[in-house]
Amino acid sequence: MKFSHIFNKVLAGVLLSLGCAEMHAQQDPQYTHYMYNTVNINPAYAGSRGALSIFGLHRTQWVGLEGAPTTNSFSINTPLRDSKLGLGVSFVNDRLGVTEENTISVDLSYRIDLNRQGSKLSFGVKGSANMLNVEYSRLKQATPGDPLLAVDIQNEFSPNIGAGVYWHNEKSYVGLSVPNFLENKRFENGTIYSSMNQRMNFYLMGGHIFELNPTLKFKPAALIKVTEGAPLQADLTANFLIHDKLTLGAAYRWDAAWSGLIGFQITDGLMIGYSYDAETTKLARYNNGSHEVFMRFELFNKYNRVNSPRFY
């Protein structure tokens, strides 16, 4: 039996279980390039780069495995002129099997300048709207006419709020955030109450830049995610920046995958990047890894233009 068939059966079983009990520990999408996609998980990051920053990312996970996750993320954030406020808007489309979620978020941050050396502390709040779709009709039903699979879930709406704090200077950053505080009961299917209970995800991230010589910089970074009812997730990354243009690095997702990363700063305002994840779990036998690509475009004005692109 092909593993894709096994995966479909497991997925169907998971969806069926939603009609009988709560699914705990639902987690947010994961990103290998989390250090560039910070605004999606920490609203305090909005406006921190001192420019209008436009970011787009596509992630295809477990290539070759039918029904595997795919994620598309798009965000815009900017400082508000003549103020200490930052504003961001983001959109995330996340698909897994017959489920699809679309989330729109608005972020607002406030910055405090701590000293003349450039240390800044920002506080942020996030408001989001999530739309959930589940196409039960696409599943191969072992028991035709099952009432749990009789009605598709269409645009089931749930709001949420989140918050974060972000400190940084020219060489270091630390962030702590909870993107979603509300633990929503997700949907009702026909006359049978079903729920996918959202859980809070706690994120702690940080990094530091070491200037090894005038043309080579080294930045270790880490992201730790804690979710009730789920294993601790830790991403450890080591990037090298060469001539302020070429980024090469490697990452390890604890007990899950190894990754290789590459990025190129085409201009001061335009960067592109790619990563490949290789599974370290038994799932590696049944897929060809995960791919992630991103592009970041920034508009600087004559007052905030930087001498060299910032590494995070």
Side-chain angles (χ1 to χ4, degrees):
M1 180 180 293
K2 293 183 179 180
F3 188 80
S4 61
H5 295 162
I6 298 175
F7 181 81
N8 282 337
K9 287 188 175 182
V10 172
L11 178 62
V14 169
L15 293 170
L16 282 169
S17 71
L18 298 179
C20 306
E22 292 181 350
M23 173 173 280
H24 298 286
Q26 181 201 347
Q27 297 196 50
D28 297 335
Q30 64 184 22
Y31 306 101
T32 300
H33 288 108
Y34 58 87
M35 68 292 294
Y36 304 119
N37 196 29
T38 306
V39 74
N40 268 339
I41 59 176
N42 192 335
Y45 187 81
S48 68
R49 292 186 58 80
L52 174 66
S53 184
I54 303 171
F55 184 89
L57 177 146
H58 172 76
R59 178 178 177 85
T60 301
Q61 192 162 324
W62 304 334
V63 172
L65 187 59
E66 186 178 353
T70 60
T71 303
N72 294 288
S73 174
F74 177 80
S75 65
I76 301 176
N77 74 93
T78 182
L80 298 180
R81 189 174 181 179
D82 299 326
S83 76
K84 296 182 180 295
L85 298 174
L87 180 65
V89 178
S90 60
F91 172 77
V92 178
N93 171 264
D94 194 37
R95 299 183 181 184
L96 171 60
V98 298
T99 68
E100 179 180 12
E101 291 188 81
N102 293 295
T103 305
I104 298 176
S105 301
V106 177
D107 305 308
L108 184 66
S109 69
Y110 179 78
R111 184 190 76 246
I112 299 174
D113 298 325
L114 298 179
N115 56 42
R116 295 181 180 179
Q117 286 70 45
S119 292
K120 304 177 189 300
L121 180 65
S122 298
F123 301 90
V125 292
K126 178 187 291 286
S128 60
N130 178 276
M131 304 294 284
L132 173 69
N133 294 280
V134 184
E135 295 182 86
Y136 289 114
S137 56
R138 289 174 50 197
L139 292 173
K140 294 181 180 179
Q141 300 184 27
T143 306
D146 191 323
L148 292 177
L149 303 179
V151 180
D152 289 347
I153 305 301
Q154 296 183 346
N155 296 324
E156 185 70 23
F157 172 76
S158 61
N160 222 309
I161 56 173
V165 59
Y166 185 77
W167 172 89
H168 77 278
N169 59 25
E170 291 184 356
K171 292 187 176 181
S172 304
Y173 70 93
V174 176
L176 177 64
S177 62
V178 180
N180 298 305
F181 279 122
L182 304 182
E183 299 185 347
N184 292 315
K185 303 280 188 177
R186 295 305 304 276
F187 58 83
E188 185 176 353
N189 185 1
T191 60
I192 300 175
Y193 183 76
S194 312
S195 67
M196 184 187 301
N197 197 358
Q198 285 185 310
R199 293 296 185 186
M200 287 191 293
N201 294 284
F202 297 83
Y203 291 90
L204 175 64
M205 66 186 310
H208 182 76
I209 299 171
F210 297 92
E211 188 166 344
L212 304 181
N213 62 51
T215 62
L216 180 64
K217 296 181 177 70
F218 170 59
K219 188 193 77 170
L223 173 67
I224 298 173
K225 181 167 69 172
V226 178
T227 306
E228 182 183 352
L232 176 74
Q233 180 177 307
D235 289 70
L236 308 175
T237 308
N239 280 325
F240 291 88
L241 180 62
I242 305 168
H243 289 287
D244 288 330
K245 292 292 184 183
L246 178 64
T247 299
L248 296 174
Y252 177 63
R253 180 168 296 119
W254 192 265
D255 204 28
W258 284 98
S259 306
L261 302 88
I262 186 170
F264 190 70
Q265 193 79 43
I266 299 174
T267 67
D268 281 358
L270 180 60
M271 182 181 184
I272 58 174
Y274 166 79
S275 68
Y276 174 78
D277 300 354
E279 287 288 313
T280 59
T281 67
K282 293 181 180 179
L283 196 60
R285 304 179 213 169
Y286 309 104
N287 73 87
N288 298 315
S290 304
H291 302 270
E292 192 173 289
V293 294
F294 78 88
M295 182 179 72
R296 183 178 66 195
F297 178 68
E298 296 179 312
L299 293 174
F300 298 91
N301 60 40
K302 63 181 180 180
Y303 302 107
N304 62 14
R305 181 175 295 278
V306 293
N307 294 324
S308 61
R310 210 173 84 189
F311 201 6
Y312 55 88

